[in-house]
Amino acid sequence: MGATGSSAKKHVKSQAVKPVLDEILKQVNNKFVYESDRVTYGVAEYWNVAGEETKWRGDCEDHALLCRKLAIERGIESCSLVTCWTEKNRYHCVLYVDGWIIDVRYPCVMSNSDLLAIGYSWHKIGLPNGHWYYIESVNN
């Protein structure tokens, strides 16, 4: 997720996907209610795609999973879940797409660099194939 010297083609692709992500976030935020897994499912941690069956309730990873589902339905295949530490040192999950982040904590799509600047640090990335990898910090 660190800067890797993107080409012009990559930049155009990244810019083209942002309006779709904006639409997805607006759609989800109009219905989604943040609620802990303890309240929603009666357990400390449970990953599920929020939506009709959960009455649009869930926590950060449920929000990210729902946004990923909607992005894939709109033809965006390069969606990855990312776990991270927030600026308040809380463990968190967001959706990463071509340098853009959908985060339940913010009303707008943020850039990867915006969140790094406020103190986020990336931990693991879950690729669309289901594999998870540790993310090396580029800030050290």
Side-chain angles (χ1 to χ4, degrees), residues 80-134:
S80 298
L81 298 176
V82 173
T83 58
C84 57
W85 295 98
T86 69
E87 76 283 1
K88 295 181 179 183
N89 205 30
R90 295 235 167 128
Y91 203 59
H92 189 48
C93 184
V94 298
L95 180 67
Y96 174 86
V97 182
D98 292 339
W100 298 108
I101 306 287
I102 291 182
D103 185 341
V104 69
R105 298 177 66 218
Y106 293 98
C108 59
V109 175
M110 306 283 279
S111 74
N112 175 35
S113 57
D114 288 340
L115 292 175
L116 286 172
I118 64 170
Y120 274 48
S121 61
W122 310 122
H123 182 230
K124 290 183 182 180
I125 187 166
L127 301 180
N129 64 11
H131 294 103
W132 283 84
Y133 300 94
Y134 285 98

Side-chain angles (χ1 to χ4, degrees), residues 20-32 52 56 63 66-67 69-71 73-74 107:
V20 179
L21 297 178
D22 288 331
E23 289 174 22
I24 290 167
L25 183 58
K26 182 178 179 181
Q27 176 188 355
V28 170
N29 284 352
N30 282 335
K31 293 183 179 182
F32 189 83
E52 295 304 323
W56 290 83
H63 183 272
L66 176 58
C67 292
K69 177 182 179 279
L70 296 173
E73 287 173 1
R74 286 172 173 82

Side-chain angles (χ1 to χ4, degrees), residues 6 13-15 18 43 46 77 84 98 104 115 134:
S6 61
K13 180 181 176 187
S14 178
Q15 290 299 323
K18 186 175 183 296
V43 295
Y46 185 80
E77 297 292 329
C84 57
D98 292 339
V104 69
L115 292 175
Y134 285 98

Side-chain angles (χ1 to χ4, degrees), residues 37-56:
D37 287 335
R38 178 83 52 211
V39 173
T40 306
Y41 305 108
V43 295
E45 192 62 47
Y46 185 80
W47 286 42
N48 190 34
V49 177
E52 295 304 323
E53 65 278 357
T54 63
K55 297 182 175 47
W56 290 83

